[in-house]
């Protein structure tokens, strides 16, 4: 079982417009509403690939009820979300039809009390004993300690379960801008090595249509898609994390993991809402992604 954590779950609303223009009104075309937050999107992708996956995190209020109602409709996905008194957030993504760009508006989320956090960590400790991999995803709602993810990574570490994403896990997956902001390094390779020096075993840096750079104990590799796709990029990072979690669970080699991650990310771009993947795009990309070995294994 792969466990995904979404501490700031959301109801994701996606609007399609012909063209996004500032300071004007817009007629909305397609509207999609579904349970979201990065960990939920990761879980949805994994469930769609036939993986046993459990979602945990925090939800509350009428919006939280809508989130849970939507999750019940996802085959193979187990809901272990923990209730809080506050109202879960909504996110709004506006996708412009003329260029495929997505503009995202993220609400802050509910305030979480110390008692609610203790209730969640108790649930997490029980769930992690069942898990093969834990994926920790997304923002922290107000009220949580700044080291919340570090606490959860530590709990997983005590159980011997590998983790993906933040705060000293086995794999960290920033995009290029996040990596530069966190390390002060504009060069992705140097930034990844700095994160490894701070405790991450492996770092996978995404650069959108430029593909992925992985700096791991087994060496450095770059995976590049065969072409650039137009579409909604908001779910691509979540699809990438899903691939990384699945690869860790399977013990796959990094070349295979990166090839799958690029193909699944591209398949997510081809879909109008985060959490879905286009099967035809995935099958086309998984045999055409180029993986290049850059450096031999480096000591950690």
């Amino acid at each position: 079982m792969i466990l995904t954590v979404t501490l700031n779950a959301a109801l994701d609303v996606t609007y399609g417009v012909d063209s996004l223009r500032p300071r004007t009104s817009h007629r909305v075309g397609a509207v999609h509403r579904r349970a979201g937050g990065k960990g939920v999107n990761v879980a949805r992708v994994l469930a769609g690939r036939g993986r046993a996956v459990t979602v945990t995190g925090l939800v509350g209020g009428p919006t939280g009820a809508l989130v849970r109602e939507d999750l019940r409709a996802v085959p193979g996905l187990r809901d272990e979300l923990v209730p809080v008194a506050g109202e879960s957030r909504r996110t709004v993504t506006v996708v412009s039809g003329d260029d495929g760009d997505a503009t995202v508006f993220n609400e802050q989320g509910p305030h979480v009390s110390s008692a609610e956090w203790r209730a969640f960590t108790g649930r997490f400790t029980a769930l992690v004993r069942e898990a093969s991999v834990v994926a920790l995803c997304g923002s922290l709602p107000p009220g949580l300690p700044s080291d919340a993810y570090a606490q959860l990574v530590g709990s997983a570490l005590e159980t011997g379960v590998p983790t993906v994403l933040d705060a000293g896990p086995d794999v960290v997956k920033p995009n290029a801008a996040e990596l530069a902001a966190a390390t002060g390094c504009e060069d992705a390779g140097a930034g990844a090595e700095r994160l490894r020096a701070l405790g991450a075993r492996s770092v996978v840096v995404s650069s959108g249509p430029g593909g992925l750079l992985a700096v791991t104990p087994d060496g450095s590799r770059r995976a590049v898609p065969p072409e650039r796709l137009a579409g909604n990029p908001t779910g691509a990072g979540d699809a990438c994390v899903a691939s990384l979690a699945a690869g860790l669970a399977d013990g796959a080699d990094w070349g295979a993991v990166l090839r799958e991650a690029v193909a699944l990310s591209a398949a997510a771009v081809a879909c109008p809402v985060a959490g879905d993947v286009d099967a035809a795009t995935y099958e086309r990309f998984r045999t055409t992604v180029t993986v290049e070995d850059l450096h031999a294994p480096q000591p950690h």
Side-chain angles (χ1 to χ4, degrees):
M1 184 269 286
I2 297 175
L3 177 65
T4 74
V5 177
T6 309
L7 294 178
N8 209 0
L11 185 70
D12 286 347
V13 182
T14 303
Y15 291 151
V17 299
D18 291 336
S19 180
L20 184 61
R21 307 289 184 192
R23 298 177 296 279
T24 65
S25 62
H26 295 76
R27 185 176 297 277
V28 176
V31 179
H32 302 276
R33 294 180 179 86
R34 57 165 32 179
K38 287 184 175 297
V40 169
N41 294 337
V42 169
R44 196 186 295 272
V45 172
L46 288 167
R49 308 304 299 169
R51 294 278 179 168
V53 60
T54 297
V55 171
T56 191
L58 302 168
V59 292
T63 301
L66 292 173
V67 167
R68 304 193 84 158
E69 179 182 350
D70 183 68
L71 290 179
R72 284 195 292 272
V74 182
L77 192 152
R78 173 182 165 198
D79 171 9
E80 289 285 350
L81 291 164
V82 175
V84 296
E87 178 85 7
S88 287
R89 66 193 179 117
R90 296 183 181 228
T91 71
V92 176
T93 300
V94 181
V95 180
S96 177
D98 59 354
D99 56 15
D101 283 349
T103 302
V104 184
F105 300 87
N106 292 315
E107 293 181 5
Q108 191 173 33
H111 186 277
V112 179
S113 70
S114 57
E116 290 168 336
W117 175 238
R118 287 194 299 271
F120 172 77
T121 56
R123 178 77 60 86
F124 176 83
T125 300
L127 290 171
V128 79
R129 296 191 186 104
E130 307 174 33
S132 58
V133 176
V134 178
L136 304 147
C137 309
S139 63
L140 298 179
L144 289 191
S146 60
D147 67 343
Y149 277 137
Q151 292 181 35
L152 301 182
V153 168
S155 180
L157 181 63
E158 291 175 2
T159 315
V161 177
T163 53
V164 179
L165 204 56
D166 272 328
D170 294 82
V171 180
V172 181
K173 196 224 70 70
N175 60 38
E178 290 166 341
L179 180 67
T183 65
C185 298
E186 293 299 326
D187 178 76
E193 290 291 2
R194 181 165 296 183
L195 285 188
R196 290 194 71 229
L198 292 171
R201 282 179 50 80
S202 302
V203 180
V204 178
V205 185
S206 61
S207 56
L212 299 173
L213 169 69
V215 181
T216 78
D218 298 327
S220 300
R221 298 170 181 83
R222 187 180 302 279
V224 182
E227 62 188 84
R228 179 169 185 153
L229 288 178
N232 179 7
T234 56
D238 302 330
C240 180
V241 171
S243 283
L244 296 178
L248 275 179
D250 293 345
D253 69 82
W254 273 104
V257 170
L258 293 175
R259 189 173 289 107
E260 285 286 300
V262 171
L264 208 57
S265 297
V269 171
C271 288
V273 290
D276 287 348
V277 294
D278 180 73
T281 302
Y282 168 72
E283 291 298 333
R284 180 161 54 91
F285 271 62
R286 67 195 301 257
T287 58
T288 54
V289 171
T290 301
V291 179
E292 177 187 5
D293 289 327
L294 302 178
H295 301 292
Q298 298 293 320
H300 184 40

